[in-house]
Amino acid sequence: MRMGTSVLIVEDIPEFQQRFAAAIHADAELRLLGVAGTGAEAMTWLARQAPDVMLVDLGLPDMSGIDLIRHAARHLPGTESLVVTMFGDDGNVLASIEAGATGYLLKDSLPESIAACIHELRAGGSPISPSIARRVLTRYRGVPPNGNAAPATPAAGVEPLLTERETDILRQVAKGMSFAEIGDILGISQHTVVTHVKKIYRKLAVHSRGEAVFEANQMGLL
Amino acid sequence: MAMVIGGWLRLLLLLLLAGLAPAAAIADTATAVAEPVSAARLRGNALLPPDAGEAWEIISLPDNRRPPLVSGEVAAWYRIEFSVTAADLGRESWSVYVPFLRDGGRFFLNGHPIEHIAESDDVLRVKWERPHLVSLPDNLLREGSNTLMVRTQPRLDVSFPRLSFGHATTLQKFQERRSFVVRTLPQITIVFCALVGLFTIFIWVARPAERLYGLFGLTVLLWGLSALTFVIETLPVEHWWSWRLVYHSSTGGFVALMAVFCAGFAELRPPRIVWKTMFVFWLICPVAMIAFGDAADVWMRRVWSAGLIPIGLGAAGMICLAAWRQRTATAYALLAALVLAVLSGIHDYLLHLGRLATIFPDWAGHRIFLLHHGANLLLLVMGSILAQRFVQVLFDLEFLNRDLERRIAEREAQLDAQYQRAHTLERERATVEERRRIMQDMHDGLGSQLFQSLSRAERGDLAPPEMAHSLRSCIDEMRLALEALGTPDDSFLDAIADFRFRWERQLDAAGVRSHWRIEASADTLKFPPRTTLQYLRIIQEALTNALKHARASLIQVHILGEDDAMRIRIEDDGVGINGVANGPGHGLRNMRRRADLLGATLDIDSAPGRTRIEVRVPLAAATA
């Protein structure tokens, strides 16, 4: 018998706590692990048991949800973070992805799409909007893979962080193409497109972690 | 540049000349050359050698006589004795070297005529500048004492040189050396003067404001003309007078122009009367030559030429003043060259007059005229000064250019900064204006909708599903605004991508298939955010109609960017506008109003199963 996907909700507004909890309860495959109203509570939950999926609202009263995502990405390899956003276009989504989030959820999503989103995430799919793709392209064009190098202009011969294929995919996403269409255009399966997107998310997280280490080094913290 | 090189060459030749006289002296002692220092002279017009019994007077050679004021001198016979040893005889042929014999003459050896150097007569005028080498035939030459007699009719020159007797090969060297100085150097001078003069005058013609160049060019040309006197040795009688006119005029003109050049260099402005006097003085020459013809020639040489000396001294005085004021190497060099030229001019004048013989009899006997070389040196210095000024002008020009470039760059930077400021201000103003309009839109659209919903909710007139619907459309309105404003570079395609992403999911969730086709280049479709917002609203309205009212199962959105227009086409397979009971009239009216405001046309073609809404946007109107 399957245990189902365990979900931790980190959200300070009771209305949304209820909304998300209801959506999870309604789905037989999902299991609500707990609801945390503050970052500290969430940390306690995480220390006790690592959820499969953590739904994080960024605007917590005591800390930034991004720190929470980063903590989970670093210490709980089995946990996937799903950031909750109002409109899905703000810079916080990219910051969350860089911190380790592998997807985002619109705050006004209907209950069934909340569950669908979690399932999609577990199945290896990560949603990506054109505006996020644009942000990633603008920011990581020509950036070398290791964060230690200066990001502005990569040295000749250094492989860029994003492969050509990944860049192609992002370009198509930025145009508003669906994964299926992108698969058709690039001659690959929709599933492969999904995998690529997930890989891009992981790369950005690893890269920004390296960059953080690099910056910390620079500042003499490490 | 040519000027400078030419000048240097001339200077070099001048130095060569300085070593000439001593070299000749050394050659004299080294080889068997006889130079009798005395001779017998007899004045008389006899054409055949007079007897020894005539009234010969013993004179020393060279014979430096003063020329009479009036031409028409009687002929003179010179008798020179020289001896030849038996050893010298037969070994090599003998010659007599005659350094100069301007008027030509007849040579007799031991009573036999051996040579006739052309003399002036009714058809020809001669003025020999070249040295002569007369060979002494072996069969007439005797061992022991020999007699050479020379008959000459002085017209231009009454002096007679010291002759050299010896082997032809030795004497030929003497002849070549002197020939170089009195013939070749002037030829070179003439060629250089012609080239440099014309070159400089070309510069002046191209830039008449550069008066100094014109002056120098003319000076050089006149000097070249004057130097022709060393080259033109024989001339038909009918041309003689005009040539002398040219010669005197150009010599006088040269001196006068040189004085003007010097005044220019010294930056002095002598009273006009000085120049007028000088001009009148110069004018005497051609006037007198024209009035009195050939007879004036000798007066020109003797008297008028003397007047050139004060002009030269005046020029030297001006340069002296300039040197004292400027204290530059250039001024000193010009002063030195000018003093040398004036001195050599005085030298030549005295030599001509026969006065120099009383001071330096030996030197005068060589009859070497110096002004020619002195003037060359002077022209060299003058040319160098011009070249230096030319180069200085180039340097100044370069400096000015750089300065100008720098100032232009500065001004450009200022303009650029100003433009940037203006641009920034304009952009800020535009942004503020755009923001104001969007706020207005929000106020009228979103605000109004929220207030209506609030009012109805407070009245208890709003059921939960309606309330949710109302709030959702408010959120959609906000999303739409974010999509329109969220593209940093006003790219319509970026906005439509976000819009499509949102709608695709929405339609998907509602079970409606959608098909999107966007064919346009990103560069051509750039609108201000508010315009983009209006287009997105039109599309949103059309999609909402298709989804809510027409109950479509397939919606196709096609955006086509053409060169001059953009087409937006939304097609669905719903029931059509007429099939809708509670008609979407309000939505359609809204769409039409928006399209009108944007200068776009809206076409609706609706039938059951196929509704097509097409918006055509002329691009000029959209971006204006």
Side-chain angles (χ1 to χ4, degrees):
Chain A
M1 134 153 206
R2 266 161 43 112
M3 283 286 286
T5 301
S6 62
V7 180
L8 174 69
I9 295 169
V10 187
E11 165 66 70
D12 61 327
I13 300 170
E15 175 60 36
F16 286 101
Q17 287 178 354
Q18 281 177 26
R19 186 180 175 88
F20 295 146
I24 289 158
H25 281 310
D27 192 291
E29 304 279 304
L30 302 178
R31 182 168 59 87
L32 183 66
L33 190 67
V35 176
T38 64
E41 273 180 51
M43 290 297 272
T44 315
W45 274 108
L46 291 178
R48 200 182 302 160
Q49 189 185 349
D52 294 327
V53 172
M54 172 168 72
L55 231 65
V56 190
D57 186 84
L58 295 181
L60 299 174
D62 57 343
M63 67 191 286
S64 165
I66 288 173
D67 293 333
L68 208 55
I69 294 168
R70 191 172 293 121
H71 172 84
R74 202 166 293 180
H75 302 289
L76 309 169
T79 300
E80 280 193 276
S81 299
L82 197 57
V83 64
V84 178
T85 166
M86 297 263 212
F87 299 104
D89 72 312
D90 48 18
N92 282 333
V93 176
L94 184 57
S96 306
I97 291 166
E98 286 172 340
T102 42
Y104 67 91
L105 185 67
L106 292 178
K107 212 158 195 172
D108 64 337
S109 297
L110 296 170
E112 52 267 38
S113 61
I114 293 172
C117 194
I118 293 172
H119 289 308
E120 195 188 338
L121 193 70
R122 289 295 286 165
S126 289
I128 181 162
S129 72
S131 68
I132 291 172
R134 275 202 297 277
R135 277 172 198 271
V136 173
L137 279 174
T138 319
R139 201 153 150 191
Y140 291 94
R141 186 168 294 155
V143 172
N146 58 336
N148 298 8
T153 47
V158 175
E159 285 284 307
L161 177 70
L162 299 176
T163 65
E164 213 158 301
R165 176 45 53 94
E166 286 162 353
T167 309
D168 280 347
I169 289 171
L170 285 175
R171 280 206 192 105
Q172 298 302 331
V173 172
K175 283 188 195 168
M177 299 287 182
S178 69
F179 285 175
E181 281 173 306
I182 295 170
D184 284 350
I185 292 168
L186 299 180
I188 53 181
S189 74
Q190 184 179 344
H191 178 73
T192 313
V193 177
V194 172
T195 319
H196 274 302
V197 171
K198 189 106 182 180
K199 206 148 97 201
I200 291 168
Y201 275 17
R202 296 221 185 282
K203 267 191 186 177
L204 299 190
V206 169
H207 171 80
S208 62
R209 209 171 299 155
E211 209 163 48
V213 170
F214 173 68
E215 276 167 16
N217 262 327
Q218 291 291 90
M219 293 187 293
L221 295 180
L222 292 177
Chain B
M1 201 62 198
M3 254 175 339
V4 178
I5 291 173
W8 279 113
L9 194 64
R10 273 189 233 146
L11 185 68
L12 209 72
L13 295 173
L14 200 69
L15 290 173
L16 212 85
L17 172 77
L20 185 75
I26 291 164
D28 289 352
T29 54
T31 54
V33 171
E35 289 189 340
V37 294
S38 69
R41 186 181 65 195
L42 177 70
R43 296 167 120 191
N45 285 327
L47 288 173
L48 289 172
D51 294 337
E54 299 274 349
W56 293 91
E57 48 183 324
I58 303 299
I59 52 132
S60 63
L61 291 178
D63 183 16
N64 294 314
R65 276 199 296 146
R66 276 198 222 162
L69 271 179
V70 188
S71 59
E73 170 90 345
V74 294
W77 282 90
Y78 288 88
R79 195 181 73 207
I80 305 116
E81 307 286 340
F82 66 100
S83 61
V84 180
T85 62
D88 290 331
L89 261 179
R91 224 177 52 191
E92 210 182 320
S93 55
W94 274 55
S95 287
V96 57
Y97 167 61
V98 187
F100 57 88
L101 193 62
R102 286 203 159 67
D103 293 304
R106 292 167 192 276
F107 287 69
F108 297 86
L109 178 62
N110 295 325
H112 299 276
I114 53 168
E115 178 76 292
H116 179 205
I117 298 170
E119 294 171 278
S120 295
D121 53 28
D122 292 341
V123 290
L124 194 73
R125 293 297 297 261
V126 302
K127 178 174 166 289
W128 297 108
E129 293 293 338
R130 68 182 69 184
H132 307 280
L133 197 61
V134 178
S135 60
L136 304 174
D138 288 347
N139 57 337
L140 298 178
L141 213 57
R142 309 189 285 246
E143 186 185 343
S145 182
N146 291 272
T147 305
L148 179 79
M149 285 209 209
V150 181
R151 180 194 186 275
T152 178
Q153 172 86 52
R155 285 171 182 273
L156 297 163
D157 199 349
V158 294
S159 53
F160 192 80
R162 184 180 292 170
L163 305 183
S164 308
F165 297 89
H167 288 141
T169 46
T170 312
L171 296 178
Q172 200 177 349
K173 287 189 186 109
F174 291 14
Q175 189 206 16
E176 279 169 5
R177 267 190 214 123
R178 188 177 169 98
S179 186
F180 177 75
V181 174
V182 301
R183 296 263 300 157
T184 312
L185 280 186
Q187 284 165 353
I188 293 171
T189 302
I190 290 162
V191 171
F192 268 116
C193 283
L195 290 178
V196 171
L198 287 175
F199 174 71
T200 321
I201 282 179
F202 282 151
I203 295 181
W204 175 67
V205 167
R207 284 182 63 89
E210 307 281 350
R211 282 187 51 242
L212 223 48
Y213 284 90
L215 202 58
F216 179 72
L218 208 57
T219 311
V220 169
L221 277 186
L222 284 180
W223 183 242
L225 210 55
S226 160
L228 276 174
T229 191
F230 292 92
V231 178
I232 299 175
E233 290 181 313
T234 61
L235 213 62
V237 167
E238 62 268 28
H239 297 317
W240 180 251
W241 168 82
S242 44
W243 156 235
R244 293 305 284 176
L245 171 66
V246 168
Y247 168 69
H248 287 307
S249 304
S250 58
T251 310
F254 162 71
V255 176
L257 287 185
M258 190 232 10
V260 176
F261 180 93
C262 288
F265 178 82
E267 289 167 355
L268 289 176
R269 290 182 165 275
R272 291 188 81 84
I273 185 75
V274 172
W275 300 134
K276 278 182 185 162
T277 313
M278 209 167 73
F279 179 68
V280 168
F281 173 76
W282 173 81
L283 209 60
I284 290 173
C285 168
V287 168
M289 289 290 287
I290 289 164
F292 302 105
D294 209 2
D297 192 18
V298 67
W299 290 96
M300 288 299 106
R301 276 187 288 149
R302 299 259 181 93
V303 184
W304 181 79
S305 302
L308 298 175
I309 295 173
I311 298 178
L313 287 174
M318 290 191 287
I319 295 304
C320 202
L321 190 64
W324 182 71
R325 276 185 191 163
Q326 300 179 4
R327 293 176 193 283
T328 56
T330 325
Y332 291 133
L334 185 59
L335 179 61
L338 191 57
V339 166
L340 268 177
V342 172
L343 284 179
S344 54
I346 294 170
H347 164 275
D348 287 7
Y349 180 69
L350 291 178
L351 183 63
H352 215 92
L353 224 58
R355 297 276 181 185
L356 196 67
T358 54
I359 317 168
F360 308 109
D362 277 352
W363 170 248
H366 283 297
R367 291 193 82 79
I368 299 274
F369 290 94
L370 293 180
L371 176 61
H372 177 64
H373 307 291
N376 279 355
L377 182 69
L378 178 61
L379 289 176
L380 156 74
V381 174
M382 284 161 71
S384 306
I385 289 171
L386 280 189
Q388 195 193 15
R389 289 195 173 185
F390 183 69
V391 168
Q392 188 57 47
V393 166
L394 287 185
F395 279 139
D396 288 353
L397 211 65
E398 272 171 11
F399 175 77
L400 274 179
N401 256 340
R402 275 200 296 273
D403 194 48
L404 203 65
E405 274 170 15
R406 185 180 54 75
R407 272 159 52 191
I408 287 174
E410 269 173 17
R411 184 53 59 89
E412 262 179 3
Q414 277 175 6
L415 279 176
D416 212 39
Q418 241 165 38
Y419 173 77
Q420 287 293 343
R421 255 202 309 279
H423 189 64
T424 310
L425 280 177
E426 171 59 26
R427 245 193 0 220
E428 275 169 9
R429 199 195 59 73
T431 310
V432 166
E433 177 61 13
E434 187 72 13
R435 206 173 286 163
R436 195 192 60 74
R437 285 179 178 173
I438 290 166
M439 290 299 284
Q440 186 69 42
D441 279 359
M442 291 288 223
H443 185 267
D444 295 347
L446 188 63
S448 150
Q449 199 170 357
L450 280 170
F451 277 103
Q452 279 179 40
S453 303
L454 176 69
S455 171
R456 288 179 64 194
E458 279 174 348
R459 252 193 310 159
D461 191 19
L462 199 61
E466 266 185 288
M467 170 81 95
H469 174 260
S470 171
L471 289 175
R472 264 206 190 277
S473 62
C474 284
I475 291 173
D476 282 349
E477 176 66 25
M478 271 192 77
R479 288 220 159 92
L480 201 68
L482 286 171
E483 281 152 8
L485 304 178
T487 56
D489 52 355
D490 293 350
S491 164
F492 183 72
L493 290 188
D494 282 354
I496 209 79
D498 290 341
F499 178 86
R500 170 190 173 175
F501 181 76
R502 175 165 64 90
W503 267 95
E504 213 166 25
R505 304 197 130 207
Q506 212 164 313
L507 292 171
D508 215 29
V512 178
R513 286 183 298 124
S514 63
H515 188 253
W516 301 71
R517 205 142 65 87
I518 293 155
E519 295 167 21
S521 99
D523 292 332
T524 49
L525 297 186
K526 283 192 191 298
F527 308 131
R530 189 163 168 270
T531 309
T532 297
L533 186 59
Q534 300 302 342
Y535 289 128
L536 294 186
R537 278 199 179 124
I538 292 173
I539 305 170
Q540 178 148 294
E541 194 78 57
L543 291 176
T544 309
N545 281 343
L547 182 67
K548 299 270 163 69
H549 305 298
R551 300 183 302 279
S553 61
L554 172 67
I555 298 178
Q556 297 184 65
V557 181
H558 187 186
I559 292 168
L560 177 66
E562 290 165 345
D563 283 344
D564 56 345
M566 173 177 75
R567 284 172 201 280
I568 302 171
R569 190 192 300 154
I570 303 111
E571 247 180 288
D572 69 70
D573 58 352
V575 295
I577 290 169
N578 296 332
V580 177
N582 194 5
H586 178 66
L588 291 176
R589 266 199 305 281
N590 256 343
M591 284 162 72
R592 215 178 271 288
R593 186 175 54 83
R594 287 189 217 283
D596 284 350
L597 281 175
L598 294 167
T601 54
L602 183 87
D603 286 318
I604 299 172
D605 176 14
S606 182
R610 185 174 166 277
T611 297
R612 190 166 75 179
I613 297 174
E614 184 166 314
V615 185
R616 187 175 179 282
V617 187
L619 284 186
T623 49

